[in-house]
Amino acid sequence: MSEVLPMKNTPNSRFTGSNNDLPRPALAGFWRLAGAGLCEAGRSRLRPFAVAALCAIMALRLTAHAADPDLSNLDKDAVVKKPATTPPYRTRGVQRPPTRGYDPKRGVVKIEEGDGTVKELPYVVLPILFRVNSDELFDAQSEENLRKLAAKLQEPQLLGARFLVEGHTSTEGDSAHNKTLSERRADRIFSLLVRKFGVEPGRLSAIGFGPTAPEVDPERSEQDRQRNRRVLIVKESNGQ
């Protein structure tokens, strides 16, 4: 049976649970307060009212993921800055591998290439749920959110722009399995956008990073792991 686990309800929602679990929006603070209120109400005559309030919060928790995705960040331009001079390490014949860093407040991934080129690319976290340990979408709302993403990608101002679907996990669990799962999920989003929703395949690519490109590094808490479990779409180049 499929299982649904919570996802933080923030403008850039984060996936929670283990890397094999479903992401889901949650109102974690309200949930904790409601639980505490119910325990307190158990020692008073207000228990029926507390139970009703808790039920209402549970209903809100189970439907929070249905909110429309905020895709407006994809309207921002991708920025590429070439180095004015050759980096010192290139003069010694050393090719430094690219580095990636994620800034959720600005909604950009910063990539520094081996030649010193720096890219700042806007991204959004996709509000899409998967079945446990699978690349299958969990529900109709996930498919509807993907349809809205496809419509956004085909708006006139974005025609000609290129996008990358990124799959990520935390460091929890087997690294090889996590990387494979992240690749499968990124590939599934790519396939649905192209085959079902008509996005031109030449405008998309997909990659699964597993745990190798975290937003939070090092992971010191479950909250850090939650922030690293995510699927993004990154604007790699601007439209015409």
Side-chain angles (χ1 to χ4, degrees):
M1 183 176 70
S2 299
E3 176 187 3
V4 178
L5 293 179
M7 181 169 69
K8 286 177 63 180
N9 187 23
T10 61
N12 285 330
S13 300
R14 297 292 180 261
F15 293 177
T16 71
S18 71
N19 292 319
N20 297 334
D21 290 329
L22 291 167
R24 189 108 192 208
L27 302 175
F30 288 109
W31 186 254
R32 288 192 295 270
L33 289 173
L38 181 59
C39 292
E40 181 65 24
R43 296 189 292 271
S44 73
R45 297 179 180 179
L46 298 178
R47 180 167 182 158
F49 299 98
V51 171
L54 182 58
C55 291
I57 292 171
M58 288 177 66
L60 182 59
R61 179 175 183 258
L62 293 176
T63 59
H65 79 292
D68 287 342
D70 182 3
L71 304 173
S72 60
N73 201 50
L74 297 180
D75 291 322
K76 296 179 181 177
D77 287 338
V79 178
V80 179
K81 300 177 181 178
K82 296 286 186 179
T85 58
T86 302
Y89 52 82
R90 287 300 303 274
T91 63
R92 299 191 295 269
V94 177
Q95 179 68 37
R96 188 176 63 182
T99 61
R100 302 176 75 85
Y102 296 85
D103 185 344
K105 292 182 178 180
R106 296 175 56 217
V108 298
V109 53
K110 183 177 180 180
I111 304 171
E112 184 172 355
E113 304 286 358
D115 63 358
T117 299
V118 176
K119 303 176 182 179
E120 287 195 347
L121 310 180
Y123 71 85
V124 295
V125 181
L126 300 183
I128 292 173
L129 314 182
F130 294 95
R131 295 187 182 276
V132 175
N133 200 27
S134 170
D135 61 356
E136 296 290 335
L137 294 187
F138 176 72
D139 59 6
Q141 185 61 52
S142 294
E143 185 167 313
E144 174 63 12
N145 287 343
L146 197 58
R147 184 195 64 77
K148 292 176 180 178
L149 169 63
K152 179 68 178 181
L153 299 186
Q154 296 179 87
E155 289 181 354
Q157 71 272 21
L158 293 179
L159 290 178
R162 288 182 52 85
F163 299 89
L164 174 65
V165 181
E166 296 186 358
H168 298 269
T169 71
S170 71
T171 59
E172 185 177 49
D174 180 75
S175 294
H177 175 76
N178 288 342
K179 189 172 190 305
T180 299
L181 184 61
S182 68
E183 290 170 347
R184 288 169 53 199
R185 289 177 170 176
D187 287 343
R188 174 53 61 95
I189 298 304
F190 174 96
S191 179
L192 288 171
L193 287 172
V194 170
R195 297 181 182 180
K196 190 161 188 173
F197 298 112
V199 179
E200 295 181 7
R203 298 179 59 206
L204 296 175
S205 55
I207 186 171
F209 286 102
T212 63
E215 181 182 290
V216 181
D217 187 25
E219 293 174 1
R220 292 191 173 93
S221 66
E222 178 59 24
Q223 184 179 16
D224 293 344
R225 289 186 284 274
Q226 290 173 7
R227 291 175 62 185
N228 286 337
R229 298 173 188 131
R230 66 213 193 275
V231 175
L232 316 178
I233 185 158
V234 180
K235 186 179 183 182
E236 292 191 298
S237 67
N238 302 318
Q240 302 298 325

